[in-house]
Each structure stands twice: as C-alpha cells, then as structure tokens.
Amino acid sequence: MEKLQKTLEEWKAMLDPEQYNVCRLSATERPFSGKYNDTKTDGVYHCVCCNEPLFDSTTKFDSGCGWPSFYRPIGESAMTEIRDTSHGMIRTEVKCARCDAHLGHVFPDGPPPTGLRYCINSVCLNLEPRE
C-alpha cells in the first residue's frame, strides 16, 4: 500500500471542520451523534480521507458506547495501532494505515470471535452500500 501524505493545509481544504478535527487532530465526535452509530446498511466502510476500505458491515455490532463498533478491520494491514496515554488513560489508538487519519480506539471488550471492539468516529468513515 502506498502511503498518502498531505500537509495539514491540504487536509483542511478537503475535509469539513469536524472531519479535520477528528481525523487530523485526533479529536472525538460526541457520543451518539455520528451518522453511522445506528446504521444497519450492508456495505463497506472506507476512510473519509483516502477512501481505503477499513471495515465490512458484517463485523459491526451495537456496543452501546455511542460510536460505531466493529470486531475486526477489513484486513490486517488496514490500520495501525498506537499506544495512547492521553486523558489519564492507557488506550490503543487506531489510524488508517494509508493516510494516518485518526479513526478511534480499539478495546479488548468486544464480542467473539475476536474479543475486540474497534470504537470508530462516524466522521472518519464513508459507507459504500453493497448492491
């Protein structure tokens, strides 16, 4: 996968303010406010910054946390994981492997078969429905 690199100014010009703040500055959207929190549409979720496929809707589940949750990324190389010690917690941040967009965090409290919960900001995603 070829890495996509742009300046912050280039990202700012192509993203809306909320997408920019979350994807490029590691902010978080308000819980239960995202457009994909309750979505049941069958399809593939892509990175809003670079269109890289990230999650299949078949791995989405209702965790009750207020953000779209998935138990597995679409592929092992879809994202990178980084230790996050901000806000007085130890968490694992997930970023798009192609463009380094901040997506959210992964937690070890998800359902089988992985036991993982990828807690992802809706503004980081574009859903392409299956036909």
Side-chain angles (χ1 to χ4, degrees):
M1 168 188 330
E2 185 177 329
K3 200 77 159 164
L4 177 64
Q5 296 181 354
K6 295 184 179 208
T7 66
L8 285 179
E9 292 76 26
E10 290 172 313
W11 289 120
K12 198 170 203 170
M14 73 171 275
L15 300 170
D16 72 34
E18 188 176 21
Q19 290 169 331
Y20 177 79
N21 284 334
V22 174
C23 296
R24 307 320 311 176
L25 303 179
S26 299
T28 301
E29 68 189 1
R30 288 185 339 273
F32 303 100
S33 69
K35 65 182 176 181
Y36 297 129
N37 185 50
D38 295 322
T39 300
K40 307 284 189 230
T41 303
D42 186 37
V44 175
Y45 291 86
H46 293 254
C47 177
V48 73
C49 294
C50 70
N51 204 38
E52 190 70 20
L54 298 173
F55 297 98
D56 191 284
S57 64
T58 59
T59 66
K60 188 173 188 281
F61 68 99
D62 183 9
S63 69
C65 71
W67 293 275
S69 297
F70 306 85
Y71 62 78
R72 174 185 304 136
I74 205 158
E76 290 184 25
S77 62
M79 55 197 61
T80 56
E81 297 184 2
I82 298 149
R83 181 180 165 98
D84 177 0
T85 58
S86 64
H87 305 291
M89 299 178 259
I90 298 174
R91 304 178 289 176
T92 302
E93 177 185 13
V94 289
K95 290 187 171 195
C96 174
R98 181 164 183 241
C99 71
D100 289 328
H102 168 78
L103 303 171
H105 292 84
V106 60
F107 300 95
D109 60 2
T114 65
L116 298 174
R117 174 175 53 99
Y118 288 84
C119 184
I120 307 298
N121 292 283
S122 285
V123 298
C124 302
L125 302 172
N126 274 330
L127 174 59
E128 291 187 17
R130 264 190 270 281
E131 295 184 16

